[in-house]
Structures are given as structure tokens and as C-alpha cells.
Amino acid sequence: MSATKEYENYPLGTVVLSNTLSLALYGLGFFVINKLGLLFSLLYLLYVLILEYRLIKSCANCYYWGRVCGFGRGKISAWFFKKGEPAEFCIKKLTWLDLVPDMLVSLIPIVVGVVLMILRFDFLLLFSVLLILFLTTSGNGFIRGKLTCRYCKQKELGCPAYSLFNKAG
């Protein structure tokens, strides 16, 4: 393992950039799905809120509960949930199947956008779908690979996501 410095609290710039990426993905998803109607886009936002709630609740067991993690959710979790047990954070073995609900945040607007473009081509819709693809892959890869996971103390204590994405062999 490298001698990379780990953060007790992440720099504000990292938190702002990581949340800007998430908000951009949510906003683009809302825009694409809104082409189907406001009800569908509001249901999409409700889905995003449910996923965010689930994530922030799990942060109660993280090292960064009450601290500023790379996404700022450790601080937010402390506003709503009592401190949990850090050992609980490590118990769950994360699989690719567990990530399906999170992947749907991008996949649903991509599929909707492609179907809508088949029915009636739209350059703005094409640009939005391509931007969602780019932000989901390269954007998330950069945030997690270069700015957040690399400096995370929880990964040393045990992180199911880090374990899943960094399997040897």
C-alpha cells in the first residue's frame, strides 16, 4: 500500500466537486426523464432521495460520521442519525448486484433518452445522454480514484465498496 496521506476531514473543494458531479447527474436525469412528463421526473427525484437517505443512514457506521468525508455525507449523517458501530460498516460484503439501485440513477435516464431519440431525434437530448455517460464513468472514476477513496481512512478499517472495486486478480 502507498504512503498516501489520509484525511481526517476532506478539503472543501473535494466535497464541492464530488457533490457537483452528483447534482449534475441528478439534474441531467431529471431533464431527460422530464421529456416524458413532470410526474415521471418527480418520481425519479423521489427515487434519488430514497437512495441518498439510504446512503446517509449507512454513514452512521462509517469512520467519517460527524466528519467531512469526500462527499460531505458524514457530517450530514450526524445531523439525522446517532453514531453507529464502525465494525458494522465492514460486515456487509458488497456485490455488483447491490449496486444496481445506484446504477439505475444513470441507467434509467440513458435508456429513456435513447428510446426518446429513436422516436424523435433531439441534439440536446443526445448531448444530455452522452454527458450522463461521461460523468457516470469518467467523472465518477476521477472523483473516487483521484480525490476521495485514495485518501479515505475507512478503507483501511474496511470498506465494502473499496473491497469490491479493488479486488486483486
Side-chain angles (χ1 to χ4, degrees), residues 12-26 52 69-73 76 143:
L12 182 59
T14 298
V15 177
V16 168
L17 195 56
S18 65
N19 282 293
T20 299
L21 179 112
S22 294
L23 291 172
L25 282 169
Y26 301 158
E52 285 291 330
C69 71
F71 304 92
R73 288 175 177 89
I76 296 169
I143 296 292

Side-chain angles (χ1 to χ4, degrees), residues 28-37 40-41 44 104-120 122 125-126 128-129 132:
L28 286 164
F30 180 88
F31 170 77
V32 169
I33 294 171
N34 195 49
K35 299 279 185 180
L36 294 176
F40 292 104
S41 55
Y44 172 77
L104 288 175
V105 169
S106 296
L107 193 58
I108 290 170
I110 289 170
V111 170
V112 167
V114 168
V115 169
L116 290 174
M117 283 188 290
I118 290 170
L119 298 174
R120 183 170 161 219
D122 178 338
L125 197 53
L126 174 63
S128 298
V129 167
I132 291 170

Side-chain angles (χ1 to χ4, degrees), residues 154-168:
Q154 183 64 49
K155 81 169 184 267
E156 299 302 324
L157 302 170
C159 173
Y162 187 81
S163 298
L164 177 66
F165 291 113
N166 294 285
K167 284 185 179 171

Side-chain angles (χ1 to χ4, degrees), residues 74-107:
K75 256 313 193 204
I76 296 169
S77 181
W79 296 342
F80 299 102
F81 303 102
K82 289 184 194 176
K83 182 165 180 54
E85 183 57 48
E88 294 284 320
F89 193 83
C90 310
I91 288 175
K92 178 143 173 60
K93 291 288 183 212
L94 198 62
T95 66
W96 288 102
L97 190 58
D98 295 317
L99 296 179
V100 169
D102 299 295
M103 290 189 267
L104 288 175
V105 169
S106 296
L107 193 58

Side-chain angles (χ1 to χ4, degrees), residues 124-150:
L124 187 55
L125 197 53
L126 174 63
F127 176 75
S128 298
V129 167
L130 292 175
L131 191 52
I132 291 170
L133 275 169
F134 175 76
L135 293 176
T136 299
T137 55
S138 298
N140 270 321
F142 174 76
I143 296 292
R144 294 178 192 291
K146 301 289 185 197
L147 300 180
T148 57
C149 297
R150 165 184 279 188

